[in-house]
Amino acid sequence: MTVSLFDQFMSPVYLGVPLLAIALMLPWVLFPSPALRWIHNRLLILQSWFISRFTHQILMPLNQGGHNWALMLASLMIFLVTLNVLGLLPHTFTPTTQLSLNLAFAFPLWLATVLIGLRNNPTAALGHLLPEGTPTLLIPILIIIETISLLIRPLALGVRLTANLTAGHLLMHLTSSAAYYLMFTMPAAAALTMGLLLLLTLLEMAVAVIQAYVFVLLLSLYLQENV
Amino acid sequence: MPQLNPSPWLAIMIFSWLAFLIIVPPKVMAHLFPNEPSPQSTETLNMETWNWPWL
């Protein structure tokens, strides 16, 4: 039974075409490229506001050097939010449930921040491995702990997004299956389960946006340490 | 867990980066913000600290 529940996360292939390709290319029709006019339609204005407010928000704690990353962080946020939210539609495939995709974004971007830090300011970058005010006896073990926590960051970034979305989708699948099978025998219980499903869907909408934001925010924090 | 199946990993990684780099930044860059914020709105106003106005 458990095996069939995870089948929704298998990278789907239909008539030999990997559907992941379509899932990664179609969402961008929802983001029309704005023409050169002063005021656009509502959709474009909303997207413009989102991009400008988000970029302002995420670049606030970064110094001038970090502002080079504005396009990368804004694009990454748009990418992740769109994929996460579109995955909440029934029977759609969410590419961000694939660990491969999340690690593919987390690892190179984290590595870029670390390399920037080591190249421009190696003393400060290595200095982050020892918090201020550490008692002398704890220094060796704390350096080891901080190094491990540094090296585990890309894995945590990728797995956090994957696990959150996978768990949410799995729960929704379970609850909706339960509601369906209960409908014929115990309709009242099925109605309660549908209520639970509604609340769960609201939670998943929040989780979709929040997890995308957390991914990009953590990357900006890693950049802030190193730039 | 089917996500741990290693066979489509490289294809997914390459394809997702390609889709991300080729499609999204041009769309984000196309949004232009021609109005500079006015200095009047960026200076912080010297507000009084909040106190209990009804006491």
Side-chain angles (χ1 to χ4, degrees):
Chain A
M1 189 57 193
T2 332
V3 177
S4 70
L5 282 173
F6 273 104
D7 284 353
Q8 59 177 308
F9 301 118
M10 282 200 322
S11 201
V13 177
Y14 183 69
L15 297 179
V17 177
L19 295 182
L20 192 83
I22 304 179
L24 283 173
M25 292 205 293
L26 273 185
W28 318 116
V29 302
L30 296 170
F31 291 89
S33 284
L36 275 175
R37 38 175 27 193
W38 187 28
I39 300 181
H40 296 96
N41 58 21
R42 276 179 278 234
L43 178 66
L44 278 169
I45 295 277
L46 278 176
Q47 290 171 359
S48 258
W49 284 359
F50 179 73
I51 291 172
S52 83
R53 295 313 307 157
F54 174 77
T55 314
H56 176 93
Q57 177 73 27
I58 204 93
L59 289 182
M60 261 201 308
L62 292 171
N63 63 14
Q64 197 67 27
H67 291 193
N68 295 332
W69 280 61
L71 181 61
M72 173 60 84
L73 294 173
S75 310
L76 192 62
M77 180 63 177
I78 298 276
F79 186 78
L80 291 176
V81 155
T82 312
L83 291 179
N84 287 355
V85 171
L86 281 179
L88 289 171
L89 297 169
H91 294 292
T92 51
F93 179 69
T94 321
T96 35
T97 53
Q98 302 299 308
L99 188 60
S100 46
L101 195 144
N102 296 332
L103 281 180
F105 282 101
F107 194 80
L109 292 171
W110 163 82
L111 192 61
T113 62
V114 169
L115 291 177
I116 286 175
L118 283 176
R119 187 167 188 272
N120 297 344
N121 205 349
T123 320
L126 287 173
H128 285 303
L129 294 177
L130 186 64
E132 239 176 83
T134 323
T136 323
L137 282 175
L138 284 177
I139 289 179
I141 194 163
L142 208 57
I143 292 185
I144 295 175
I145 292 174
E146 290 288 328
T147 311
I148 294 175
S149 88
L150 175 74
L151 294 175
I152 218 164
R153 277 177 180 176
L155 205 65
L157 264 182
V159 172
R160 181 185 299 111
L161 187 56
T162 311
N164 267 292
L165 263 69
T166 308
H169 285 241
L170 203 62
L171 262 178
M172 290 208 288
H173 191 143
L174 272 169
T175 334
S176 54
S177 306
Y180 177 69
Y181 288 120
L182 280 175
M183 209 162 58
F184 308 109
T185 50
M186 292 185 275
L192 278 175
T193 318
M194 282 302 288
L196 179 66
L197 184 61
L198 178 71
L199 294 175
L200 201 56
T201 312
L202 288 175
L203 176 71
E204 284 309 310
M205 289 240 49
V207 164
V209 179
I210 289 170
Q211 285 305 320
Y213 179 65
V214 161
F215 192 100
V216 181
L217 182 71
L218 282 173
L219 267 176
S220 77
L221 287 176
Y222 301 156
L223 183 65
Q224 195 185 333
E225 280 186 355
N226 286 307
V227 80
Chain B
M1 246 175 68
Q3 290 108 313
L4 297 176
N5 176 16
S7 70
W9 270 49
L10 186 63
I12 291 179
M13 287 179 167
I14 294 179
F15 197 79
S16 59
W17 265 105
L18 277 178
F20 172 63
L21 289 177
I22 294 176
I23 302 178
V24 188
K27 288 189 178 284
V28 172
M29 288 281 283
H31 286 268
L32 297 171
F33 304 99
N35 303 315
E36 296 294 322
S38 64
Q40 193 182 12
S41 60
T42 53
E43 77 179 40
T44 53
L45 299 173
N46 194 9
M47 301 286 203
E48 292 179 352
T49 53
W50 192 87
N51 206 338
W52 304 91
W54 54 89
L55 290 178

